[in-house]
Structure formats: C-alpha cells, structure tokens
Amino acid sequence: MDSFLTNYLGVSVMVLGGLIALIGVLLLINHSGGAKVIGGIVLAALGLAGVGVGYTLDQHVEVTYTVKEVTEVSARDTNQVYRVTLKPESGAETWIYVNDSQLYTFPKGEEVTLTKSQVKMYKEQDANAAAE
C-alpha cells in the first residue's frame, strides 16, 4: 500500500467520521420531521463509528525512529529503568521508558520501527512501573 495512503488513512477516516457525526447532530437539532431525527441518529452513530475505526487504523501505522539517547533513570537491585529518546524521520523527539529486558531492542544510533500504539504503551509505562 502507498506510504502516503497508509500514513493518512486513519486520520482521514477520523475526520470524515467527525464530519458525518456533525451532520447527524445538526439534523437532530433541526428536528422538523421524524425522518430527519432518525437520519440524524443514524448519521451520528455512523460518524462516531468512523472516528473509532480511524483512530484504530492510525494507531497501527508504523513509524521509524532513530534512537538518539539512552539514559538510566533508576538503579535497582533487580531491574534498571532507562529513558530512551526517539527521533522520527520528521517531527519532534519523544521518549519512552524501558527496563533491562526491553533495552536490547533499542540500540543507540540505530533505527527502530514501532507502531503508534507501541509508543503509547511505552510512554504510559512510567519509570516506576517499568522497574517492576
């Protein structure tokens, strides 16, 4: 599949779903007939479903990052936690937290490919949770 299409398909579906949901809500507000109310409810539901599908598609987009820096955050007897700074091909740097068993997959200076959902999972894993 084309890279442009892959990268923007999820966002496009989310935006289109939002617009359809907005049209549905406008039909509900301007309820001058039973058909418009039912149509508004159906459009709003379909639009919100589209937003959900678009978000799911967007979270599975793969992004290639360069590992810029690996910093030890805490030293523990059983497990050490590291903050890994990642730089995508375009965009701002971000960082994730990993423990000893995950560190070998992020060699400094190398490129790694992660889905957006994986990056989100690593980001939500704070320094204390990563050490457990």
Side-chain angles (χ1 to χ4, degrees):
M1 193 180 277
D2 181 53
S3 177
F4 179 81
L5 179 63
T6 304
N7 290 336
Y8 295 104
L9 179 64
V11 175
S12 301
V13 171
M14 276 192 293
V15 170
L16 184 61
L19 290 174
I20 291 171
L22 180 64
I23 291 170
V25 169
L26 290 175
L27 282 175
L28 283 172
I29 292 172
N30 185 14
H31 61 282
S32 59
K36 283 188 179 179
V37 170
I38 292 172
I41 291 171
V42 169
L43 282 177
L46 287 173
L48 292 175
V51 170
V53 168
Y55 179 78
T56 302
L57 288 172
D58 187 54
Q59 291 302 303
H60 288 86
V61 169
E62 292 185 340
V63 179
T64 302
Y65 297 93
T66 301
V67 179
K68 290 292 188 181
E69 184 178 5
V70 177
T71 307
E72 186 176 341
V73 176
S74 69
R76 300 194 181 200
D77 293 338
T78 57
N79 208 358
Q80 292 178 319
V81 178
Y82 301 89
R83 185 174 90 173
V84 178
T85 305
L86 301 172
K87 173 78 171 124
E89 293 171 350
S90 63
E93 289 183 350
T94 189
W95 63 86
I96 59 174
Y97 292 100
V98 297
N99 59 31
D100 282 336
S101 63
Q102 299 164 326
L103 183 62
Y104 73 92
T105 59
F106 299 98
K108 185 176 178 182
E110 297 292 322
E111 289 188 347
V112 294
T113 301
L114 300 169
T115 63
K116 290 182 178 182
S117 61
Q118 287 174 315
V119 172
K120 183 178 178 182
M121 177 197 66
Y122 282 122
K123 284 182 130 187
E124 290 174 352
Q125 174 177 299
D126 68 4
N128 293 328
E132 295 176 7

mmCIF file of all heavy atoms in Angstrom, residues 33-67:
data_model
loop_
_atom_site.group_PDB
_atom_site.id
_atom_site.type_symbol
_atom_site.label_atom_id
_atom_site.label_comp_id
_atom_site.label_asym_id
_atom_site.label_seq_id
_atom_site.Cartn_x
_atom_site.Cartn_y
_atom_site.Cartn_z
ATOM 1 N N GLY A 33 -38.894 16.829 11.456
ATOM 2 C CA GLY A 33 -39.608 15.656 10.976
ATOM 3 C C GLY A 33 -39.009 14.390 11.534
ATOM 4 O O GLY A 33 -37.834 14.349 11.924
ATOM 5 N N GLY A 34 -39.797 13.342 11.610
ATOM 6 C CA GLY A 34 -39.337 12.070 12.164
ATOM 7 C C GLY A 34 -38.213 11.451 11.365
ATOM 8 O O GLY A 34 -37.295 10.854 11.923
ATOM 9 N N ALA A 35 -38.259 11.592 10.064
ATOM 10 C CA ALA A 35 -37.215 11.017 9.211
ATOM 11 C C ALA A 35 -35.881 11.715 9.459
ATOM 12 O O ALA A 35 -34.829 11.065 9.463
ATOM 13 C CB ALA A 35 -37.601 11.119 7.739
ATOM 14 N N LYS A 36 -35.906 13.027 9.685
ATOM 15 C CA LYS A 36 -34.670 13.758 9.953
ATOM 16 C C LYS A 36 -34.066 13.341 11.295
ATOM 17 O O LYS A 36 -32.853 13.241 11.431
ATOM 18 C CB LYS A 36 -34.907 15.262 9.945
ATOM 19 C CG LYS A 36 -35.030 15.842 8.557
ATOM 20 C CD LYS A 36 -35.071 17.348 8.621
ATOM 21 C CE LYS A 36 -35.174 17.944 7.234
ATOM 22 N NZ LYS A 36 -35.236 19.397 7.277
ATOM 23 N N VAL A 37 -34.930 13.089 12.288
ATOM 24 C CA VAL A 37 -34.429 12.662 13.593
ATOM 25 C C VAL A 37 -33.773 11.291 13.481
ATOM 26 O O VAL A 37 -32.658 11.080 13.967
ATOM 27 C CB VAL A 37 -35.575 12.649 14.644
ATOM 28 C CG1 VAL A 37 -35.117 11.979 15.935
ATOM 29 C CG2 VAL A 37 -36.065 14.055 14.913
ATOM 30 N N ILE A 38 -34.445 10.361 12.832
ATOM 31 C CA ILE A 38 -33.884 9.016 12.658
ATOM 32 C C ILE A 38 -32.614 9.082 11.807
ATOM 33 O O ILE A 38 -31.604 8.455 12.117
ATOM 34 C CB ILE A 38 -34.930 8.058 12.047
ATOM 35 C CG1 ILE A 38 -36.050 7.822 13.056
ATOM 36 C CG2 ILE A 38 -34.283 6.739 11.630
ATOM 37 C CD1 ILE A 38 -37.224 7.050 12.513
ATOM 38 N N GLY A 39 -32.662 9.848 10.733
ATOM 39 C CA GLY A 39 -31.477 10.017 9.889
ATOM 40 C C GLY A 39 -30.328 10.649 10.654
ATOM 41 O O GLY A 39 -29.175 10.265 10.494
ATOM 42 N N GLY A 40 -30.649 11.621 11.507
ATOM 43 C CA GLY A 40 -29.612 12.265 12.320
ATOM 44 C C GLY A 40 -28.968 11.295 13.288
ATOM 45 O O GLY A 40 -27.743 11.294 13.467
ATOM 46 N N ILE A 41 -29.792 10.467 13.927
ATOM 47 C CA ILE A 41 -29.251 9.476 14.862
ATOM 48 C C ILE A 41 -28.359 8.480 14.122
ATOM 49 O O ILE A 41 -27.263 8.152 14.574
ATOM 50 C CB ILE A 41 -30.401 8.752 15.594
ATOM 51 C CG1 ILE A 41 -31.102 9.719 16.549
ATOM 52 C CG2 ILE A 41 -29.888 7.531 16.347
ATOM 53 C CD1 ILE A 41 -32.379 9.177 17.152
ATOM 54 N N VAL A 42 -28.814 8.021 12.963
ATOM 55 C CA VAL A 42 -28.036 7.056 12.182
ATOM 56 C C VAL A 42 -26.722 7.686 11.718
ATOM 57 O O VAL A 42 -25.652 7.075 11.835
ATOM 58 C CB VAL A 42 -28.859 6.537 10.980
ATOM 59 C CG1 VAL A 42 -27.994 5.755 10.005
ATOM 60 C CG2 VAL A 42 -30.017 5.682 11.467
ATOM 61 N N LEU A 43 -26.780 8.905 11.212
ATOM 62 C CA LEU A 43 -25.548 9.566 10.750
ATOM 63 C C LEU A 43 -24.585 9.824 11.906
ATOM 64 O O LEU A 43 -23.370 9.640 11.758
ATOM 65 C CB LEU A 43 -25.882 10.877 10.035
ATOM 66 C CG LEU A 43 -26.392 10.752 8.609
ATOM 67 C CD1 LEU A 43 -26.752 12.130 8.049
ATOM 68 C CD2 LEU A 43 -25.370 10.083 7.718
ATOM 69 N N ALA A 44 -25.115 10.255 13.042
ATOM 70 C CA ALA A 44 -24.251 10.499 14.192
ATOM 71 C C ALA A 44 -23.576 9.201 14.640
ATOM 72 O O ALA A 44 -22.371 9.187 14.927
ATOM 73 C CB ALA A 44 -25.053 11.114 15.336
ATOM 74 N N ALA A 45 -24.327 8.108 14.678
ATOM 75 C CA ALA A 45 -23.756 6.822 15.087
ATOM 76 C C ALA A 45 -22.706 6.342 14.086
ATOM 77 O O ALA A 45 -21.622 5.885 14.479
ATOM 78 C CB ALA A 45 -24.866 5.785 15.239
ATOM 79 N N LEU A 46 -23.017 6.450 12.807
ATOM 80 C CA LEU A 46 -22.043 6.047 11.783
ATOM 81 C C LEU A 46 -20.793 6.913 11.837
ATOM 82 O O LEU A 46 -19.672 6.418 11.668
ATOM 83 C CB LEU A 46 -22.668 6.109 10.389
ATOM 84 C CG LEU A 46 -23.683 5.026 10.053
ATOM 85 C CD1 LEU A 46 -24.341 5.312 8.706
ATOM 86 C CD2 LEU A 46 -23.022 3.661 10.052
ATOM 87 N N GLY A 47 -20.981 8.203 12.045
ATOM 88 C CA GLY A 47 -19.842 9.112 12.132
ATOM 89 C C GLY A 47 -18.942 8.785 13.310
ATOM 90 O O GLY A 47 -17.713 8.750 13.187
ATOM 91 N N LEU A 48 -19.556 8.515 14.468
ATOM 92 C CA LEU A 48 -18.750 8.162 15.638
ATOM 93 C C LEU A 48 -18.055 6.819 15.455
ATOM 94 O O LEU A 48 -16.917 6.642 15.899
ATOM 95 C CB LEU A 48 -19.620 8.161 16.893
ATOM 96 C CG LEU A 48 -20.132 9.546 17.318
ATOM 97 C CD1 LEU A 48 -21.068 9.424 18.498
ATOM 98 C CD2 LEU A 48 -18.979 10.476 17.630
ATOM 99 N N ALA A 49 -18.710 5.899 14.786
ATOM 100 C CA ALA A 49 -18.060 4.621 14.469
ATOM 101 C C ALA A 49 -16.865 4.853 13.544
ATOM 102 O O ALA A 49 -15.811 4.234 13.705
ATOM 103 C CB ALA A 49 -19.054 3.668 13.831
ATOM 104 N N GLY A 50 -17.031 5.764 12.583
ATOM 105 C CA GLY A 50 -15.926 6.110 11.686
ATOM 106 C C GLY A 50 -14.751 6.709 12.432
ATOM 107 O O GLY A 50 -13.590 6.420 12.126
ATOM 108 N N VAL A 51 -15.036 7.546 13.422
ATOM 109 C CA VAL A 51 -13.965 8.122 14.231
ATOM 110 C C VAL A 51 -13.212 7.013 14.963
ATOM 111 O O VAL A 51 -11.977 7.002 15.000
ATOM 112 C CB VAL A 51 -14.527 9.161 15.233
ATOM 113 C CG1 VAL A 51 -13.463 9.586 16.234
ATOM 114 C CG2 VAL A 51 -15.056 10.379 14.500
ATOM 115 N N GLY A 52 -13.949 6.054 15.509
ATOM 116 C CA GLY A 52 -13.307 4.936 16.210
ATOM 117 C C GLY A 52 -12.460 4.075 15.289
ATOM 118 O O GLY A 52 -11.337 3.695 15.631
ATOM 119 N N VAL A 53 -12.973 3.777 14.115
ATOM 120 C CA VAL A 53 -12.220 2.981 13.145
ATOM 121 C C VAL A 53 -10.970 3.746 12.691
ATOM 122 O O VAL A 53 -9.880 3.180 12.588
ATOM 123 C CB VAL A 53 -13.106 2.606 11.937
ATOM 124 C CG1 VAL A 53 -12.279 2.034 10.798
ATOM 125 C CG2 VAL A 53 -14.182 1.618 12.365
ATOM 126 N N GLY A 54 -11.123 5.033 12.439
ATOM 127 C CA GLY A 54 -9.980 5.842 12.024
ATOM 128 C C GLY A 54 -8.895 5.893 13.085
ATOM 129 O O GLY A 54 -7.705 5.798 12.787
ATOM 130 N N TYR A 55 -9.305 6.029 14.345
ATOM 131 C CA TYR A 55 -8.329 6.049 15.436
ATOM 132 C C TYR A 55 -7.588 4.713 15.511
ATOM 133 O O TYR A 55 -6.363 4.683 15.673
ATOM 134 C CB TYR A 55 -9.025 6.345 16.769
ATOM 135 C CG TYR A 55 -8.079 6.347 17.935
ATOM 136 C CD1 TYR A 55 -7.243 7.434 18.177
ATOM 137 C CD2 TYR A 55 -7.987 5.247 18.788
ATOM 138 C CE1 TYR A 55 -6.357 7.430 19.231
ATOM 139 C CE2 TYR A 55 -7.108 5.237 19.846
ATOM 140 C CZ TYR A 55 -6.298 6.334 20.075
ATOM 141 O OH TYR A 55 -5.421 6.323 21.120
ATOM 142 N N THR A 56 -8.320 3.623 15.377
ATOM 143 C CA THR A 56 -7.695 2.303 15.411
ATOM 144 C C THR A 56 -6.707 2.135 14.261
ATOM 145 O O THR A 56 -5.595 1.633 14.453
ATOM 146 C CB THR A 56 -8.770 1.204 15.360
ATOM 147 O OG1 THR A 56 -9.657 1.382 16.472
ATOM 148 C CG2 THR A 56 -8.160 -0.177 15.415
ATOM 149 N N LEU A 57 -7.094 2.550 13.069
ATOM 150 C CA LEU A 57 -6.179 2.474 11.921
ATOM 151 C C LEU A 57 -4.932 3.321 12.163
ATOM 152 O O LEU A 57 -3.813 2.905 11.850
ATOM 153 C CB LEU A 57 -6.877 2.937 10.643
ATOM 154 C CG LEU A 57 -7.936 2.013 10.062
ATOM 155 C CD1 LEU A 57 -8.654 2.711 8.909
ATOM 156 C CD2 LEU A 57 -7.312 0.715 9.588
ATOM 157 N N ASP A 58 -5.119 4.511 12.718
ATOM 158 C CA ASP A 58 -3.999 5.413 12.963
ATOM 159 C C ASP A 58 -3.023 4.822 13.979
ATOM 160 O O ASP A 58 -1.816 5.017 13.869
ATOM 161 C CB ASP A 58 -4.512 6.768 13.448
ATOM 162 C CG ASP A 58 -3.407 7.788 13.561
ATOM 163 O OD1 ASP A 58 -2.679 7.998 12.562
ATOM 164 O OD2 ASP A 58 -3.254 8.389 14.654
ATOM 165 N N GLN A 59 -3.516 4.108 14.964
ATOM 166 C CA GLN A 59 -2.645 3.529 15.989
ATOM 167 C C GLN A 59 -1.798 2.374 15.462
ATOM 168 O O GLN A 59 -0.830 1.984 16.093
ATOM 169 C CB GLN A 59 -3.473 3.063 17.193
ATOM 170 C CG GLN A 59 -4.061 4.205 17.975
ATOM 171 C CD GLN A 59 -3.002 5.160 18.480
ATOM 172 O OE1 GLN A 59 -2.076 4.771 19.183
ATOM 173 N NE2 GLN A 59 -3.109 6.421 18.096
ATOM 174 N N HIS A 60 -2.146 1.824 14.309
ATOM 175 C CA HIS A 60 -1.372 0.724 13.735
ATOM 176 C C HIS A 60 -0.405 1.171 12.637
ATOM 177 O O HIS A 60 0.204 0.341 11.972
ATOM 178 C CB HIS A 60 -2.314 -0.370 13.215
ATOM 179 C CG HIS A 60 -2.967 -1.119 14.332
ATOM 180 N ND1 HIS A 60 -4.122 -0.694 14.940
ATOM 181 C CD2 HIS A 60 -2.600 -2.241 14.979
ATOM 182 C CE1 HIS A 60 -4.441 -1.524 15.898
ATOM 183 N NE2 HIS A 60 -3.537 -2.484 15.946
ATOM 184 N N VAL A 61 -0.262 2.478 12.460
ATOM 185 C CA VAL A 61 0.697 2.997 11.491
ATOM 186 C C VAL A 61 2.101 2.827 12.068
ATOM 187 O O VAL A 61 2.360 3.155 13.223
ATOM 188 C CB VAL A 61 0.417 4.497 11.200
ATOM 189 C CG1 VAL A 61 1.543 5.122 10.408
ATOM 190 C CG2 VAL A 61 -0.894 4.648 10.472
ATOM 191 N N GLU A 62 3.002 2.295 11.268
ATOM 192 C CA GLU A 62 4.379 2.107 11.706
ATOM 193 C C GLU A 62 5.195 3.366 11.437
ATOM 194 O O GLU A 62 5.097 3.967 10.369
ATOM 195 C CB GLU A 62 5.009 0.915 11.006
ATOM 196 C CG GLU A 62 4.412 -0.407 11.428
ATOM 197 C CD GLU A 62 5.127 -1.587 10.809
ATOM 198 O OE1 GLU A 62 5.825 -1.412 9.782
ATOM 199 O OE2 GLU A 62 4.972 -2.687 11.357
ATOM 200 N N VAL A 63 5.984 3.751 12.439
ATOM 201 C CA VAL A 63 6.844 4.929 12.339
ATOM 202 C C VAL A 63 8.274 4.476 12.617
ATOM 203 O O VAL A 63 8.516 3.704 13.550
ATOM 204 C CB VAL A 63 6.423 6.017 13.355
ATOM 205 C CG1 VAL A 63 7.330 7.235 13.258
ATOM 206 C CG2 VAL A 63 4.968 6.408 13.152
ATOM 207 N N THR A 64 9.215 4.941 11.810
ATOM 208 C CA THR A 64 10.623 4.609 12.017
ATOM 209 C C THR A 64 11.280 5.720 12.819
ATOM 210 O O THR A 64 11.196 6.899 12.461
ATOM 211 C CB THR A 64 11.343 4.425 10.677
ATOM 212 O OG1 THR A 64 10.684 3.386 9.948
ATOM 213 C CG2 THR A 64 12.805 4.062 10.875
ATOM 214 N N TYR A 65 11.916 5.334 13.919
ATOM 215 C CA TYR A 65 12.596 6.273 14.815
ATOM 216 C C TYR A 65 14.077 5.956 14.842
ATOM 217 O O TYR A 65 14.482 4.811 14.666
ATOM 218 C CB TYR A 65 12.083 6.136 16.251
ATOM 219 C CG TYR A 65 10.624 6.458 16.441
ATOM 220 C CD1 TYR A 65 9.660 5.461 16.392
ATOM 221 C CD2 TYR A 65 10.213 7.757 16.685
ATOM 222 C CE1 TYR A 65 8.329 5.756 16.577
ATOM 223 C CE2 TYR A 65 8.883 8.057 16.875
ATOM 224 C CZ TYR A 65 7.943 7.054 16.823
ATOM 225 O OH TYR A 65 6.616 7.341 17.007
ATOM 226 N N THR A 66 14.888 6.985 15.105
ATOM 227 C CA THR A 66 16.296 6.795 15.387
ATOM 228 C C THR A 66 16.470 6.934 16.887
ATOM 229 O O THR A 66 15.967 7.886 17.489
ATOM 230 C CB THR A 66 17.153 7.855 14.668
ATOM 231 O OG1 THR A 66 16.915 7.755 13.259
ATOM 232 C CG2 THR A 66 18.624 7.662 14.957
ATOM 233 N N VAL A 67 17.158 5.976 17.506
ATOM 234 C CA VAL A 67 17.405 6.030 18.947
ATOM 235 C C VAL A 67 18.525 7.040 19.181
ATOM 236 O O VAL A 67 19.668 6.818 18.814
ATOM 237 C CB VAL A 67 17.775 4.638 19.499
ATOM 238 C CG1 VAL A 67 18.065 4.714 20.993
ATOM 239 C CG2 VAL A 67 16.678 3.635 19.203
#
